[in-house]
Amino acid sequence: MGNDYILSSDFVFNLAGVNRPKNQENFMKGNFGFATTLLDTLKKYKNNCPVMISSSIQAALDNPYGKSKKAGEDLMLEYSKETGAKVLVYRFSNVFGKWCRPNYNSAVATFCNNIANGLPVQVNDRSHPMDLVYIDDVVTELIHSAEGHENKVGDYCKVRVEHHTTLGEIVDLLYSFKESRESLFVTDMSDGFSKKLYSTYLSYLPLDKFSYPLVSHVDNRGSFTEFLKSKERGQVSINVSHPPTGYTHNIESLGDSDMVTVMWFNECFNPKKPDTFFEPIKK
């Protein structure tokens, strides 16, 4: 760890950890040992800036991973008592989100990958409860913590937005996403979790599955193609009209062929939280 970073740090995020070591003793070495090195270095340079540590809900369980996380938590809390430094211990529940590694430590990632790629999934207990946090909400919470607005509950901190569901409900939603490309019926996304799971699912689609065929009804007037359907909000169709007489719309086509424009988003644009940013092009 560079001395310059230690001296100039105003806030430390400790997101390092070990969750799949070859030997179980490496749980303690990686999770507890690194935290020890971090805090000893901060004490050496007398930097009492706030420190955040990423722990897990498994810290409350009696297993090697949970024990190593609990040891790291206790170390942080003792450090706070000793130095007066602000310590934020985040006990994350199951984190999910786009591009997470499948067949590793996330059931959601494995289910998304398998269903998107036509592979089987195995669910031993559909009623098994799942407490989930979305990666974007985790990042938002960490930004709040750096700004001094952490969500603290007792001795620990937690992400403000959590989702509570079951393994069976997750699998059913994922299959509905897959089937929607054939039925054209859009899954009900009125709750925040469904939207986040859908965004996650899309990141596992093979490149050749992003587009899919539609059935067009064609006659001498043009064509009518059903595009999206919703039980709550009707359907979206693509209509192509050959040059007719009269005024039909105020979109101007400057090309030499038919122009078709269809736009649909699963959430409204929020100008206070845009997902695109302007950057000038340097010549």
Side-chain angles (χ1 to χ4, degrees):
M1 186 173 295
N3 296 345
D4 292 340
Y5 285 107
I6 288 294
L7 290 170
S8 62
S9 293
D10 297 317
F11 193 101
V12 174
F13 291 100
N14 178 14
L15 302 174
V18 175
N19 58 11
R20 284 283 185 101
K22 293 181 179 179
N23 301 309
Q24 289 195 352
E25 57 266 21
N26 287 335
F27 275 126
M28 195 64 70
K29 181 179 179 181
N31 295 326
F32 177 78
F34 179 80
T36 302
T37 301
L38 169 65
L39 299 183
D40 286 346
T41 308
L42 287 169
K43 286 190 287 187
K44 176 181 177 181
Y45 290 96
K46 296 180 172 57
N47 186 343
N48 290 341
C49 69
V51 181
M52 170 269 172
I53 181 174
S54 59
S55 187
S56 166
I57 54 175
Q58 292 203 36
L61 302 180
D62 186 19
N63 59 53
Y65 176 68
K67 289 179 179 178
S68 68
K69 284 296 187 181
K70 183 64 169 62
E73 292 180 354
D74 293 341
L75 183 68
M76 286 285 179
L77 295 174
E78 184 61 34
Y79 169 78
S80 179
K81 292 179 182 178
E82 178 185 345
T83 64
K86 185 178 183 180
V87 166
L88 307 177
V89 179
Y90 274 89
R91 278 191 172 181
F92 293 128
S93 52
N94 299 282
V95 181
F96 76 102
K98 300 178 284 292
W99 304 293
C100 181
R101 180 179 174 182
N103 303 305
Y104 187 60
N105 65 342
S106 168
V108 173
T110 301
F111 291 161
C112 284
N113 176 75
N114 287 17
I115 292 174
N117 289 277
L119 301 174
V121 296
Q122 180 177 347
V123 181
N124 296 323
D125 181 3
R126 285 180 51 86
S127 64
H128 181 77
M130 292 289 287
D131 298 321
L132 299 162
V133 288
Y134 187 52
I135 185 61
D136 290 21
D137 295 325
V138 172
V139 173
T140 297
E141 176 60 35
L142 294 184
I143 292 173
H144 287 325
S145 70
E147 295 172 341
H149 305 299
E150 67 277 357
N151 182 35
K152 196 164 187 178
V153 182
D155 290 334
Y156 306 101
C157 297
K158 61 189 300 185
V159 179
R160 286 171 170 83
V161 182
E162 291 185 329
H163 302 283
H164 309 287
T165 183
T166 65
L167 284 176
E169 290 171 346
I170 291 171
V171 170
D172 289 346
L173 269 175
L174 292 174
Y175 274 119
S176 75
F177 298 155
K178 182 181 180 66
E179 292 163 2
S180 69
R181 291 168 167 259
E182 297 178 1
S183 68
L184 303 183
F185 272 98
V186 179
T187 304
D188 181 8
M189 296 187 189
S190 57
D191 67 284
F193 175 67
S194 296
K195 291 181 181 179
K196 295 167 185 176
L197 187 63
Y198 182 66
S199 296
T200 303
Y201 172 78
L202 290 180
S203 71
Y204 293 88
L205 279 177
L207 293 179
D208 60 353
K209 297 297 183 182
F210 274 94
S211 62
Y212 49 93
L214 299 174
V215 177
S216 294
H217 306 279
V218 183
D219 61 21
N220 59 355
R221 295 169 298 176
S223 65
F224 166 74
T225 307
E226 291 178 303
F227 183 44
L228 292 172
K229 299 179 181 180
S230 169
K231 294 180 180 179
E232 300 81 18
R233 297 173 180 84
Q235 69 179 38
V236 177
S237 301
I238 301 175
N239 296 275
V240 177
S241 299
H242 298 320
T245 58
Y247 182 84
T248 57
H249 54 66
N250 62 356
I251 298 176
E252 182 180 4
S253 175
L254 301 179
D256 55 6
S257 61
D258 294 337
M259 179 182 72
V260 180
T261 303
V262 178
M263 290 184 288
W264 176 83
F265 301 91
N266 68 345
E267 60 185 273
C268 296
F269 173 69
N270 183 354
K272 295 182 179 179
K273 191 178 179 182
D275 58 359
T276 58
F277 303 90
F278 173 79
E279 289 289 347
I281 298 175
K282 295 180 180 180
K283 295 183 179 179

